[in-house]
Amino acid sequence: MKKLFSSGNICKIVGNAFETAGGLLAIIAAVFLCCGCKNASRSGNEAAAMSKSFFDGGILKYAEYLKMSGDTLRTVNEWEGKNPVTETFILVPRDSVKILAANPNAIPVPVKSCVCMSTSFLAYLDILGQDGGVKALSGTQFVYNDHIRKLIKEGEILDIGAETSPNYELIMSLKPDVVFAYGISGNDNTYIDKLRHLGLRVIPLNDYLERTPLAKLEYIKMFGTLTGTRAAADSIFAAREASYLKIKNECAKSLADKHMPATRVLLNMPFKGVWYIPGGKNYTSNLIKDAGGDILGSDPDATTSSQVSFETIYSFASRADVWLHPNSVSTLAALAADNQMYKNIPAFEDGAVFNNTKRSTPGGGSDFWETGAVEPQEILQDLIQILHPDLAQPGRTLKYYIQLK
């Protein structure tokens, strides 16, 4: 389960980067004017290094909290206060010493070393073959990927502690090109400012707030651009986008042709005494909707989750065909131990309770939120298999989900 010169609170990204042929020069000029370097100029080598492979960012189709254009990258956060904060970065060749020294928002490309404050970033780097550049990570116990776990065991990737109190000295000693960070509204996100005060370049990434699976997948283009593997990133994205849309559309057509209604879904269970139901414009809600499901009690126009009383939940639980995501519970007995009244819910009685915890770690990590970010088509297939078994691929087994026994 993700900030530069100010901590803020997430929202939509505004503005596009410079797209004209003179955009790059305009950005560079602005950088030097801000720093009082009115007469600075780029060397021929630096200009030549501004290759299309790095800066042909293009326009992202799905992401709301990330925008790329030319050599400009923008992210948005809304962790503090009521207004979103947009932060802008420029990508420059690694040998652009003067620009990098003058502007902490200038990112050297290709990025060769990084620190990740979230395990979700690993999936993008791993699929691009760039996980070797990860020097440290917050929460190594949450990592599911076998190859990365091997690097951790061998000491190639270090644990820098929780993001609320990371090992600043260790991070500084690694001298990473960039720290990929994230923040959560209401949490202590001051570590981001502290990292910047130490002279580190920090990019806030809010992929976990994106509302659709393809928006989250689209972050692979940013990681590809930063690491010089944009062609591979574009290829992977295009293939998986096409697969996801094909699966989604075929499911919708089959349900329409057979006049089959959406499967009614009871989602989650109380967390610290509160039952949360996501709004209809939410990542999980969109996944379930694309799989032909309907979350009971969900506000179709909301982007955030609502707190729903147990009484309210229990009143419509009798209409649920399937129960999904009961926290980290893995057996029906454990679910009933939380509340004996669950036994009276038809989905429980029918054994139609599924959780996305099949690929989990002893430390509490889940590959659903790690590798799942870059293969939403597999998660969609799982959900269709659960919600509409007659539409499942013959012989296919669930990859991310287990059925509680």
Side-chain angles (χ1 to χ4, degrees), residues 248-262 292 388 391:
K248 169 188 171 182
N249 293 335
E250 287 180 349
C251 175
K253 184 177 185 305
S254 294
L255 296 180
D257 290 346
K258 297 178 181 180
H259 304 288
M260 295 173 62
H388 301 284
L391 301 183

Side-chain angles (χ1 to χ4, degrees), residues 119-128 148 369-374:
T119 57
S120 67
F121 305 150
L122 297 175
Y124 303 103
L125 292 165
D126 178 67
I127 198 171
L128 293 171
I148 294 177
W369 301 109
E370 189 177 317
T371 308
V374 296

Side-chain angles (χ1 to χ4, degrees), residues 1-294:
M1 273 241 2
K2 297 218 152 308
K3 316 182 197 117
L4 272 185
F5 274 93
S6 61
S7 304
N9 282 97
I10 302 167
C11 195
K12 283 189 177 179
I13 290 182
V14 289
N16 287 317
F18 293 88
E19 292 182 284
T20 63
L24 176 59
L25 295 177
I27 293 171
I28 294 169
V31 171
F32 280 95
L33 284 173
C34 282
C35 301
C37 303
K38 297 181 180 179
N39 298 317
S41 62
R42 304 180 60 82
S43 70
N45 289 337
E46 287 176 337
M50 292 290 190
S51 63
K52 182 177 179 180
S53 63
F54 289 132
F55 303 132
D56 184 20
I59 297 176
L60 304 182
K61 295 190 292 183
Y62 302 98
E64 294 184 69
Y65 300 99
L66 173 70
K67 284 291 181 286
M68 295 167 51
S69 184
D71 62 340
T72 303
L73 169 70
R74 286 195 176 105
T75 67
V76 170
N77 69 63
E78 54 181 20
W79 313 311
E80 298 174 4
K82 297 181 179 179
N83 298 319
V85 176
T86 300
E87 299 181 301
T88 302
F89 309 86
I90 60 169
L91 312 183
V92 300
R94 296 185 61 83
D95 60 356
S96 305
V97 179
K98 291 182 180 179
I99 297 178
L100 292 170
N103 186 356
N105 281 32
I107 307 299
V109 291
V111 167
K112 294 184 178 180
S113 64
C114 66
V115 170
C116 296
M117 304 306 294
S118 169
T119 57
S120 67
F121 305 150
L122 297 175
Y124 303 103
L125 292 165
D126 178 67
I127 198 171
L128 293 171
Q130 299 299 308
D131 49 10
V134 180
K135 300 305 178 185
L137 175 67
S138 173
T140 54
Q141 73 272 22
F142 299 122
V143 175
Y144 184 86
N145 183 293
D146 286 339
H147 177 242
I148 294 177
R149 288 175 66 85
K150 181 174 181 292
L151 293 176
I152 293 170
K153 185 177 181 179
E154 294 173 348
E156 296 298 321
I157 297 179
L158 305 178
D159 192 323
I160 44 85
E163 72 277 1
T164 52
S165 57
N167 187 330
Y168 295 105
E169 290 186 1
L170 176 57
I171 297 174
M172 285 289 292
S173 70
L174 296 172
K175 299 179 180 179
D177 290 334
V178 64
V179 176
F180 294 116
Y182 75 98
I184 298 177
S185 181
N187 281 22
D188 181 4
N189 301 310
T190 56
Y191 82 94
I192 296 167
D193 288 330
K194 291 180 181 178
L195 289 172
R196 293 178 182 136
H197 291 157
L198 292 171
L200 295 164
R201 302 175 193 280
V202 184
I203 297 180
L205 296 175
N206 305 304
D207 60 312
Y208 76 106
L209 286 172
E210 294 292 351
R211 301 177 187 178
T212 68
L214 293 180
K216 183 177 289 192
L217 173 63
E218 203 162 34
Y219 279 63
I220 193 174
K221 296 181 181 179
M222 184 217 69
F223 282 98
T225 299
L226 291 178
T227 59
T229 57
R230 182 58 190 272
D234 285 346
S235 178
I236 293 169
F237 177 83
R240 298 189 177 194
E241 175 195 30
S243 177
Y244 186 95
L245 293 175
K246 182 175 183 290
I247 294 167
K248 169 188 171 182
N249 293 335
E250 287 180 349
C251 175
K253 184 177 185 305
S254 294
L255 296 180
D257 290 346
K258 297 178 181 180
H259 304 288
M260 295 173 62
T263 297
R264 294 165 298 191
V265 176
L266 174 63
L267 192 68
N268 301 333
M269 66 179 287
F271 177 72
K272 295 183 178 180
V274 180
W275 203 311
Y276 294 93
I277 299 294
K281 297 179 179 179
N282 167 279
Y283 171 83
T284 301
S285 299
N286 279 311
L287 258 175
I288 292 173
K289 185 188 307 179
D290 290 347
D294 178 35

